[in-house]
Amino acid sequence: MTQRITIRRPDDWHAHFRTGAMLRLVAPHHARVFGRAIAMPNLVPPVTTAAMAREYKKEFDFLADEQTSRRADERKFTPLLTCYLTDGTDADDLAQGYEDKIFAAAKLYPAHATTNSAHGVTDVKNIYGALERMQKIGMPLLIHGEVTDPAVDIFDREKTFIDKILAPLRRDFPGLKIVMEHITTADAVDFVNAQNGAVGATITVHHLLLNRNDMLVGGIRPHYYCLPIIKRARHQIALRAAATSGNAWFFLGTDSAPHARDKKETACGCAGVYTGHAAIELYAEVFDAEGALDRLENFASINGAKFYGLPVNDDTITLIKQPQTVPDKFIADDGMELIPFRAGETTPWSVA
Ligand code: DOR
Ligand code: ZN
């Protein structure tokens, strides 16, 4: 008998959609299954004000249009926008944007930590005023948790961030709702568990499926390069245990990060793995392998909404254990090529 599982419609609490042709290509992939997705603000230029977020949101309008949207499911999709924090963030605009439901959260990128983070925060003390306001109004702070000190090894940057920045921040803002995004280490799992629900964490499906051997043994695979970088197997095992633990503070966030093929397959490639085309199927593969399919719904469809204080989705999707072949590539309407995770290979699970 074919295995199948029906779960409440999931949400993606961390995704990159970009703008223009790339957004028109990837947003329908997410909208196919996810009810909502937190849309990252690291655009060029970054989304730093409520007015910019209002403009950005309009780019998603084509999904709601019955003429251009292919499927009824896509029309239900809601992007949740975030504010890119800078040293100069205006706390009033931030709070007003949250009150007006333009912003669902604010994102802390340490300056130069990752793609388009040059305008990020140079010292977390510079945003203490904004954090004070966020704590007061219950606005979530989403964190890219890596230090940028060139002296710190790239594989240690998450742990050092926890020790040097995040732990003190927790002490200074005990009531601030924090999501540690895309955790990649056993150290992050331990830190988040120790906060007992005050700190949430998203876990990507590529960090669950891969360790650094997959990226580097037998040839370098640029489409597995992302930030925070994929770690050794011990960390992958800890992440898989956390995601399937049933702990309410771990939830789904793909960090699906599309880059044009020529920006990945080059001498100095961009960071980002594109999983938006088959994300829920890939998570199902992990939960199945861990014997934890009964916990997929909590991780994918319940925990995140509860952490954000939002209602869960009111409809369902069904996954079946039936292989699907991933296309070799996707082509945007301007001709740009995008190489998806598992390009040309199969995933064991499909959406019915
Ligand atoms: O791999 C990544 N890609 N990590 C990030 O933090 C940013 C993202 C992107 O925007 O491409
Ligand atoms: Zn991201």
Side-chain angles (χ1 to χ4, degrees), residues 16 18 42 109 114-115 144 182 225-228 255 257 259 271-273:
H16 297 266
R18 319 301 189 201
N42 61 332
Y109 285 107
T114 186
T115 310
H144 183 110
H182 43 55
Y225 172 65
C226 63
L227 291 170
D255 197 18
H259 291 277
V273 178

Side-chain angles (χ1 to χ4, degrees), residues 255-317:
D255 197 18
S256 176
H259 291 277
R261 180 182 196 161
D262 60 322
K263 299 282 192 302
K264 292 285 295 173
E265 298 175 8
T266 181
C268 184
C270 290
V273 178
Y274 183 65
T275 53
H277 62 294
I280 196 67
E281 296 92 325
L282 293 164
Y283 280 107
E285 179 181 331
V286 171
F287 278 68
D288 186 17
E290 295 290 328
L293 274 176
D294 58 329
R295 293 189 168 162
L296 179 63
E297 184 178 47
N298 277 319
F299 178 78
S301 318
I302 309 232
N303 295 352
K306 286 208 170 142
F307 193 89
Y308 273 78
L310 296 169
V312 294
N313 294 313
D314 55 14
D315 60 344
T316 60
I317 63 160

Side-chain angles (χ1 to χ4, degrees), residues 44-289:
V44 184
V47 180
T48 52
T49 65
M52 291 175 90
R54 273 200 180 83
E55 279 307 302
Y56 184 36
K57 192 158 191 188
K58 288 185 197 154
E59 284 221 41
F60 293 85
D61 281 354
F62 78 101
L63 288 169
D65 181 345
E66 287 188 37
Q67 303 301 312
T68 55
S69 191
R70 289 183 303 248
R71 297 159 52 109
D73 281 1
E74 292 179 359
R75 299 199 289 272
K76 294 182 186 154
F77 177 75
T78 307
L80 301 173
L81 302 201
T82 52
C83 180
Y84 181 115
L85 295 171
T86 68
D87 289 346
T89 291
D90 173 351
D92 290 333
D93 182 67
L94 183 69
Q96 192 64 50
Y98 183 66
E99 246 166 64
D100 295 344
K101 298 196 176 352
I102 298 299
F103 290 135
K107 177 73 188 265
L108 164 58
Y109 285 107
H112 305 291
T114 186
T115 310
N116 301 335
S117 61
H119 301 278
V121 175
T122 59
D123 180 340
V124 77
K125 289 260 161 27
N126 293 337
I127 57 164
Y128 264 35
L131 298 184
E132 204 80 65
R133 277 296 272 289
M134 290 172 64
Q135 176 169 257
K136 204 158 150 198
I137 62 177
M139 183 178 192
L141 172 69
L142 317 183
I143 299 184
H144 183 110
E146 287 192 289
V147 294
T148 55
D149 179 351
V152 178
D153 188 274
I154 189 167
F155 288 95
D156 300 331
R157 288 180 174 197
E158 184 172 279
K159 178 171 171 23
T160 306
F161 184 91
I162 292 168
D163 297 342
K164 296 242 169 87
I165 315 280
L166 189 51
L169 193 70
R170 275 283 298 142
R171 284 194 288 275
D172 290 348
F173 297 96
L176 181 61
K177 236 190 235 185
I178 294 175
V179 182
M180 197 177 173
E181 299 287 351
H182 43 55
I183 58 169
T184 64
T185 57
D187 311 280
V189 169
D190 291 345
F191 177 83
V192 172
N193 278 330
Q195 311 306 306
N196 228 343
V199 173
T202 53
I203 307 180
T204 82
V205 78
H206 46 285
H207 287 97
L208 294 172
L209 286 165
L210 305 173
N211 62 61
R212 66 194 197 181
N213 275 13
D214 298 305
M215 181 174 57
L216 296 170
V217 173
I220 187 162
R221 289 173 185 73
H223 296 289
Y224 291 169
Y225 172 65
C226 63
L227 291 170
I229 198 158
I230 287 167
K231 308 296 192 298
R232 60 170 66 238
R234 172 171 83 80
H235 297 293
Q236 179 193 13
I237 291 164
L239 293 172
R240 287 173 76 109
T244 57
S245 66
N247 286 343
W249 42 84
F250 294 118
F251 41 89
L252 188 158
T254 60
D255 197 18
S256 176
H259 291 277
R261 180 182 196 161
D262 60 322
K263 299 282 192 302
K264 292 285 295 173
E265 298 175 8
T266 181
C268 184
C270 290
V273 178
Y274 183 65
T275 53
H277 62 294
I280 196 67
E281 296 92 325
L282 293 164
Y283 280 107
E285 179 181 331
V286 171
F287 278 68
D288 186 17

